[in-house]
Amino acid sequence: MTELLTPALDHLNAAILVYDADDRLIAFNQKAIEFYPEVKDVLKVGITLHDLVASFISAGYISDDTENRQSLIDAMAKRSRLDSHYEVRQLPDRKLFIQISHTPDGGRVSLHTDITRYSEVLNSRKQLHEDFLLIAESTHIGIWDWNAREDILQVSDIFLALLGYPRIAWNYSSNLLAALTHPDDRETVTNLLHAASNQRLPIFDCEIRILHFDGHYRWMLLSGQISSLTIEGKIERVIGTMQDITNRKEAEAFSRQSAAAAQAANEAKSLFLANMSHEIRTPMNGILGMAQLCLDTKLTHEQHDYITMVYNSARSLLHIIDDILDFSKVEAGKIVLNEEDFELRPFIQEIIRPFMPGATEKNIELLVDISQDVPQMLRGDNLRLRQVLNNLVSNALKFTHHGEILLKISLVPHNDRLLFLVHDTGIGIPDEKQKLIFESFSQVDASTTRKYGGTGLGLTISARLVEMMEGKLVVESVPGEGSTFSFTLPFPFSCHTDVRSLVLPAELLGTQVLVVDDNATNLRLMKDMLRNMGLRPITVSSGALALSLVESNSDFPLIMLDVQMPDMDGVSLATTLSAMPAFHNSTFIMLSSMGRAMDSTALTALGVSYVLSKPIAQSELFNIIVKSFTGKHCPALPEELATPQPDSLDAYRILLAEDNLVNQKLAVNFLNKLGHQCDVANNGMEVLEKLDETDYDLIFMDLQMPEMDGGKATQIIRDMESHQPALQHHIIIALTAHAMQGDREYCLQHGFDGYLAKPITMKALQQEIHRVMTQEQKLTPLPDPTRETMDEQTLLQRFYGDTALMKELSGIFIQRFPDSIATLHTAINERELQTVQQEAHKLRGESSNFGCDKLVALLQQIEHAARQHDLTQLDELAIELKPLSFRLLKSLQTIVDNGYTG
Ligand code: ADP
């Protein structure tokens, strides 16, 4: 221990000198020589204390006054012999703190500690302390120091000034604060001090009210720190500060009130908007319904035009109101997301297809690119996702005049999120407006003479919906070049991992496919899709390039051509290629945009086997390729892919003669969705005019139309055909809204080739078109979807003659029926589409038992419209709901009341 200690002592910043009982130096460390270099020569073991002191004093003493020198030596030697003595000694280069103690053997040990640095610290602290006091005064921070043991509270002048009191004493007691603290806050202070004394929280602060001299309470921030505790752990001393925070507290209270008021105002606004939308919608339904009824009556041309305008205006107004209602719901946080499994690719096709005719009309390519690794089944709120994508694609279409629109979906690497991106080559959005467009009611062009319609709410709603789905909608845009809206969503992939592998049978792998399309993006997409299937696509961007290519490479069992290309279109190219012997056995597939007429006979003659509608779904393409090579469906493919998509060459040019706007729109929409092109005639006269100009594959003829009804027009067409044998037989399908018993037979006897009763459904349309065009099926009486009610006798048959059962069930049904109809109406008005679907479905099942086929058909359409988020159609269908349900109710009531006995 001593061996370790002795050298260590030399490094201590202190000199140690040890004397024995005879005052002789017996030990010292190296620091003694360093601190006292003037006595270095005499500083040796054995020297007496007195001699050492004398030598030290003499070295520094420059006077000749020997007497004085001796007395200095004596005084120092005497002090150095004292027990427990201490003093501070200032040497030229350092300051020493000297402590002297007696040892048990009668000797002494003196310790000379260098405190030069310590003095610096002390000075600095002192300086800081003074500065702090100054700053505290000027920044109105009161300082306090409480000696708890003696209960003495010292406070700075500013402390008293903060409370408005003059100084009447130097020392106060804790009573000063205790008496002035607000009664409700006293406990806070006591608790804090208690916690602090338990060392749990030695530093504390609290906001308390203290009574000012002026009689008002002021808010103070009291901060403190326990600076010492007694041995028993009691508080000995607490120091701290006090600041007046009344202004801050008042501002906080004010901003809290303002925030609450703003929130209340916002909620009131949203509620008002919701109520207003609801209130406006009700009379608007009246306007729409009445306008529709009016259009069904006999009108002059002029009147018809006027009412049509009323109808169209009402519809766009309804659309705006829908936006507002949706927006207010988002604002009020009333939208709840619904999770369900859905299949992504058909879902995207459903969204895109209705935009195709519009895109074709504007000569814009509308493309879909879903990466191969994006799963087939997803789980999420597809209704809301549809709403967002619809908005983005419809904006892209609205603001693009040439070029292309691309909807791209891909997996974000390592991240389990899906990226949705809608890119267009449209007018773009200036930098400074890009943030603005996500705000409500804002549009880039806010002038009153705007070129593009809209509410400026679509993007706001979309952005909020994306946010609710845990994403962020962002835009990148260059004016004049285009815009890209994108967002990523954390889509949990459904546990129904129904991913079908789209790889062709081994013998087809590596087959060369020629793809010709002028659009580079579409070429890339086709290339990716074909490659993913294991084929070898070769892509060129024009007919001319294709022709020069086949001079050197003509091994193309499959050739895919875009119908619309500049210079040489797909049909001309197909004509040229199909004439070459090398391609006699090749399969030609045309890629067409919806709505474009395809002359099927001519195409067949060219050897074109299939027409695929853009955007092309990979699974559809796969199906067609398998079919074209093997002549059969690939078993791995889902059945529904075959319908309602045209899977072979059956795109017809159709003339629809129909005077009712809603029915017109519906039928055109359905026919377009089925891949046909459709022109519209408003009456029989127009049918005859149009037939003069164009050859139609098929005519749908409404029986009741103004000016010239369908029966008359058909009769004239048949007369012409019989007088001019060169004329082809026009295929005409009758449409009737008032299907009475025997209507069907009437139609078939009066020159119609087919018959369809309204309301028409897509499936019925497709079946009837297929039937008349192929003439494969014989006409059989169909269930009558126009039947509103059943007579008792027929109804009774449904219950196998059990009158009691019929009456009982009818009774139960009509008891609940009005409520269910009311619920459905409310859900339609409130846009609760999930409830609409459920309620319509439930009601449909119940109603079908009572023979009200028309109502069943209506409910089915309502359910479908709700699923498609087609609000306009929903409103149109809802108009029919009331009269129909009323009539059914009345007829069933009669059955129940009459006590029908069979
Ligand atoms: P609106 O109903 O007016 O279209 P939105 O909220 O959907 O409302 O869009 C707001 C505005 O943002 C539009 O009026 C338009 O000025 C601009 N905008 C949106 N999408 C595009 C786009 N793809 N290209 C150019 N401008 C766009």
Side-chain angles (χ1 to χ4, degrees):
M1 178 73 187
T2 322
E3 298 98 76
L4 280 180
L5 194 57
T6 314
L9 287 178
D10 285 340
H11 295 278
L12 201 65
N13 203 16
I16 304 170
L17 297 111
V18 188
Y19 301 89
D20 63 11
D22 300 329
D23 269 355
R24 281 190 192 282
L25 184 67
I26 52 171
F28 60 93
N29 67 355
Q30 278 300 313
K31 275 283 180 330
I33 302 169
E34 195 180 307
F35 286 1
Y36 299 104
E38 52 279 82
V39 294
K40 191 170 77 194
D41 296 339
V42 294
L43 188 61
K44 303 238 159 61
V45 169
I47 189 168
T48 62
L49 171 69
H50 189 273
D51 289 350
L52 196 57
V53 168
S55 147
F56 173 70
I57 296 284
S58 308
Y61 197 78
I62 35 168
S63 156
D64 287 339
D65 187 347
T66 46
E67 199 175 318
N68 189 33
R69 185 174 59 181
Q70 192 53 50
S71 73
L72 275 176
I73 293 169
D74 290 344
M76 190 184 230
K78 188 172 172 206
R79 286 204 309 277
S80 302
R81 286 193 193 97
L82 293 172
D83 187 18
S84 303
H85 171 72
Y86 58 86
E87 67 181 52
V88 173
R89 181 174 299 156
Q90 181 66 56
L91 298 182
D93 57 347
R94 70 188 81 224
K95 194 175 200 173
L96 297 177
F97 178 62
I98 297 165
Q99 289 168 279
I100 297 163
S101 320
H102 284 189
T103 54
D105 60 1
R108 273 172 296 284
V109 57
S110 72
L111 177 70
H112 306 229
T113 313
D114 185 343
I115 56 165
T116 323
R117 307 299 306 271
Y118 179 59
S119 306
E120 279 169 21
V121 171
L122 276 187
N123 282 340
S124 151
R125 288 194 73 127
K126 191 162 163 255
Q127 183 65 42
L128 278 175
H129 180 71
E130 280 166 10
D131 290 349
F132 174 70
L133 284 182
L134 202 66
I135 290 288
E137 293 287 305
S138 57
T139 52
H140 295 266
I141 298 175
I143 296 171
W144 53 270
D145 182 334
W146 181 47
N147 177 335
R149 207 184 331 200
E150 292 165 42
D151 192 15
I152 297 169
L153 179 68
Q154 291 192 66
V155 295
S156 69
D157 290 342
I158 204 73
F159 183 101
L160 291 170
L162 287 175
L163 300 178
Y165 289 91
R167 183 180 285 284
I168 49 169
W170 280 110
N171 291 335
Y172 292 84
S173 79
S174 57
N175 261 343
L176 173 72
L177 270 186
L180 297 180
T181 302
H182 192 287
D184 293 349
D185 294 338
R186 281 180 198 150
E187 205 179 319
T188 313
V189 184
T190 321
N191 288 346
L192 268 175
L193 279 176
H194 186 69
S197 67
N198 284 343
Q199 292 275 329
R200 268 193 283 129
L201 214 68
I203 296 171
F204 61 87
D205 56 36
C206 55
E207 296 178 353
I208 53 172
R209 283 154 295 179
I210 299 186
L211 191 61
H212 192 269
F213 188 67
D214 66 10
H216 295 109
Y217 278 102
R218 297 195 64 85
W219 278 101
M220 299 287 171
L221 171 66
L222 194 71
S223 312
Q225 175 178 1
I226 309 266
S227 73
S228 58
L229 291 172
T230 61
I231 297 169
E232 309 91 64
K234 290 219 174 81
I235 296 174
E236 190 166 45
R237 185 169 167 230
V238 195
I239 53 174
T241 60
M242 186 177 78
Q243 282 166 274
D244 189 332
I245 53 165
T246 311
N247 289 346
R248 195 196 86 200
K249 287 295 250 192
E250 281 173 1
E252 275 174 11
F254 180 72
S255 75
R256 262 201 308 275
Q257 277 166 6
S258 311
Q263 194 176 349
N266 204 26
E267 273 168 19
K269 185 195 78 186
S270 297
L271 197 67
F272 171 76
L273 281 178
N275 284 339
M276 281 310 292
S277 309
H278 185 84
E279 290 302 317
I280 296 169
R281 175 170 293 109
T282 315
M284 198 55 91
N285 272 342
I287 297 173
L288 273 172
M290 286 303 152
Q292 239 175 306
L293 288 178
C294 201
L295 283 169
D296 277 344
T297 63
K298 239 187 163 30
L299 296 174
T300 65
H301 252 317
E302 207 175 8
Q303 286 168 334
H304 194 273
D305 279 356
Y306 291 163
I307 301 290
T308 305
M309 271 184 246
V310 170
Y311 181 82
N312 285 339
S313 310
R315 268 171 62 117
S316 32
L317 193 51
L318 210 56
H319 188 79
I320 294 172
I321 293 162
D322 277 332
D323 264 5
I324 294 180
L325 183 63
D326 231 357
F327 171 70
S328 59
K329 267 192 184 175
V330 171
E331 282 280 281
K334 278 204 182 144
I335 286 188
V336 184
L337 296 180
N338 275 317
E339 292 229 321
E340 60 181 304
D341 291 340
F342 65 99
E343 208 173 337
L344 181 73
R345 285 160 179 87
F347 166 77
I348 293 296
Q349 291 287 355
E350 261 178 51
I351 294 177
I352 293 300
R353 284 249 149 90
F355 289 109
M356 286 311 288
T360 311
E361 207 161 280
K362 292 177 87 174
N363 210 6
I364 287 168
E365 287 280 353
L366 182 42
L367 307 162
V368 174
D369 178 8
I370 306 177
S371 301
Q372 171 82 352
D373 52 359
V374 172
Q376 190 77 0
M377 295 294 291
L378 296 181
R379 192 169 174 74
D381 192 329
N382 56 9
L383 214 68
R384 294 300 172 188
L385 180 62
R386 177 193 296 269
Q387 194 176 349
V388 173
L389 292 176
N390 254 329
N391 180 240
L392 296 181
V393 175
S394 96
N395 274 350
L397 195 55
K398 184 156 80 169
F399 297 105
T400 302
H401 303 298
H402 50 80
E404 62 180 43
I405 293 164
L406 172 70
L407 166 61
K408 189 175 157 56
I409 303 173
S410 56
L411 261 184
V412 182
H414 323 295
N415 184 338
D416 275 3
R417 290 176 80 93
L418 275 187
L419 169 75
F420 294 82
L421 180 149
V422 178
H423 169 76
D424 67 54
T425 53
I427 60 170
I429 305 162
D431 247 359
E432 69 278 10
K433 302 274 183 180
Q434 288 178 13
K435 266 222 174 77
L436 216 67
I437 52 169
F438 294 112
E439 285 168 19
S440 33
F441 304 105
S442 55
Q443 296 169 320
V444 170
D445 176 9
S447 65
T448 43
T449 53
R450 283 189 300 122
K451 190 165 154 199
Y452 309 96
T455 54
L457 281 177
L459 283 179
T460 315
I461 298 170
S462 295
R464 297 287 177 85
L465 290 177
V466 170
E467 203 176 296
M468 284 176 70
M469 294 189 276
E470 294 170 42
K472 185 169 174 9
L473 181 60
V474 292
V475 63
E476 275 174 40
S477 182
V478 179
E481 287 185 17
S483 316
T484 305
F485 286 84
S486 65
F487 56 93
T488 69
L489 295 183
F491 260 109
F493 307 128
S494 162
C495 38
H496 301 101
T497 40
D498 194 12
V499 188
R500 281 167 256 241
S501 158
L502 297 182
V503 176
L504 291 163
E507 66 272 19
L508 298 181
L509 297 181
T511 306
Q512 278 204 130
V513 184
L514 174 63
V515 188
V516 190
D517 192 330
D518 60 312
N519 181 280
T521 316
N522 205 30
L523 268 191
R524 186 182 57 71
L525 290 179
M526 294 301 300
K527 198 174 191 167
D528 285 354
M529 282 191 202
L530 293 165
R531 233 195 238 143
N532 288 338
M533 291 176 201
L535 295 169
R536 202 138 58 84
I538 297 192
T539 58
V540 287
S541 61
S542 73
L545 287 173
L547 289 176
S548 76
L549 171 81
V550 297
E551 280 174 17
S552 55
N553 179 1
S554 59
D555 179 21
F556 292 112
L558 191 62
I559 298 175
M560 309 184 74
L561 308 173
D562 183 27
V563 172
Q564 236 221 346
M565 290 187 288
D567 300 332
M568 182 184 247
D569 68 19
V571 178
S572 318
L573 183 59
T575 317
T576 316
L577 289 176
S578 63
M580 299 181 179
F583 302 114
H584 278 167
N585 291 326
S586 300
T587 303
F588 285 78
I589 298 177
M590 289 302 217
L591 310 176
S592 119
S593 299
M594 198 82 67
R596 181 147 288 142
M598 303 294 291
D599 182 344
S600 52
T601 337
L603 287 179
T604 317
L606 289 178
V608 172
S609 325
Y610 301 99
V611 177
L612 265 178
S613 292
K614 292 184 188 175
I616 288 147
Q618 176 146 357
S619 47
E620 241 175 80
L621 177 65
F622 178 79
N623 202 16
I624 294 269
I625 290 176
V626 171
K627 259 171 93 177
S628 68
F629 280 128
T630 63
K632 60 179 195 294
H633 271 285
C634 172
L637 275 170
E639 253 316 292
E640 63 273 17
L641 282 174
T643 52
Q645 269 317 112
D647 57 3
S648 68
L649 200 64
D650 61 358
Y652 298 118
R653 176 146 215 174
I654 294 175
L655 178 63
L656 171 74
E658 164 69 67
D659 60 327
N660 180 286
L661 197 70
V662 177
N663 289 335
Q664 256 181 25
K665 292 239 170 242
L666 200 68
V668 170
N669 188 297
F670 284 173
L671 289 169
N672 280 340
K673 279 193 176 137
L674 288 171
H676 307 294
Q677 210 244 343
C678 186
D679 288 348
V680 174
N682 288 300
N683 55 47
M685 295 294 282
E686 284 186 31
V687 171
L688 298 180
E689 280 164 26
K690 288 212 181 283
L691 281 183
D692 268 342
E693 298 159 15
T694 318
D695 273 339
Y696 290 99
D697 299 317
L698 182 61
I699 304 167
F700 277 102
M701 186 84 82
D702 188 11
L703 286 188
Q704 302 219 312
M705 287 185 291
E707 308 248 12
M708 181 191 283
D709 68 24
K712 179 88 185 138
T714 307
Q715 199 190 330
I716 295 175
I717 294 170
R718 294 299 178 229
D719 280 348
M720 285 189 323
E721 286 169 355
S722 63
H723 287 106
Q724 302 172 44
L727 269 187
Q728 66 171 83
H729 171 82
H730 291 90
I731 298 175
I732 309 177
I733 297 175
L735 287 175
T736 173
H738 312 286
M740 290 168 290
Q741 292 298 326
D743 250 358
R744 187 173 175 76
E745 284 65 28
Y746 165 86
C747 292
L748 300 179
Q749 280 162 16
H750 287 80
F752 291 93
D753 300 288
Y755 167 97
L756 257 186
K758 295 181 199 170
I760 44 173
T761 63
M762 190 137 91
K763 198 153 185 74
L765 261 182
Q766 192 183 30
Q767 279 174 350
E768 190 68 354
I769 293 173
H770 185 70
R771 192 188 64 74
V772 296
M773 296 312 276
T774 57
Q775 288 296 341
E776 276 171 2
Q777 294 174 8
K778 286 271 158 289
L779 278 174
T780 48
L782 297 166
D784 184 357
T786 59
R787 180 165 47 209
E788 292 184 355
T789 58
M790 256 185 190
D791 62 71
E792 288 97 327
Q793 193 59 49
T794 324
L795 187 58
L796 190 58
Q797 281 170 11
R798 288 224 160 174
F799 292 97
Y800 301 97
D802 186 339
T803 318
L805 180 68
M806 176 182 75
K807 281 184 64 178
E808 187 191 342
L809 292 185
S810 302
I812 294 172
F813 177 70
I814 56 177
Q815 221 171 28
R816 288 202 313 236
F817 185 64
D819 280 350
S820 306
I821 289 286
T823 314
L824 182 56
H825 258 293
T826 316
I828 291 175
N829 281 337
E830 307 257 310
R831 298 321 196 210
E832 302 291 356
L833 298 183
Q834 203 78 20
T835 319
V836 173
Q837 274 185 50
Q838 287 160 0
E839 210 48 45
H841 189 83
K842 198 180 86 196
L843 259 173
R844 185 154 67 87
E846 289 177 4
S847 315
S848 63
N849 295 322
F850 298 93
C852 26
D853 294 348
K854 195 167 179 185
L855 180 67
V856 172
L858 179 69
L859 289 166
Q860 191 165 13
Q861 285 174 293
I862 289 180
E863 194 183 331
H864 183 254
R867 197 173 308 119
Q868 300 291 316
H869 208 245
D870 187 344
L871 301 180
T872 316
Q873 181 168 20
L874 205 54
D875 283 330
E876 280 164 4
L877 295 169
I879 296 171
E880 284 185 56
L881 195 56
K882 247 197 189 124
L884 256 185
S885 49
F886 178 71
R887 283 199 284 277
L888 170 70
L889 202 59
K890 228 172 102 188
S891 86
L892 286 180
Q893 191 70 52
T894 319
I895 293 177
V896 175
D897 291 347
N898 281 352
Y900 180 78
T901 53

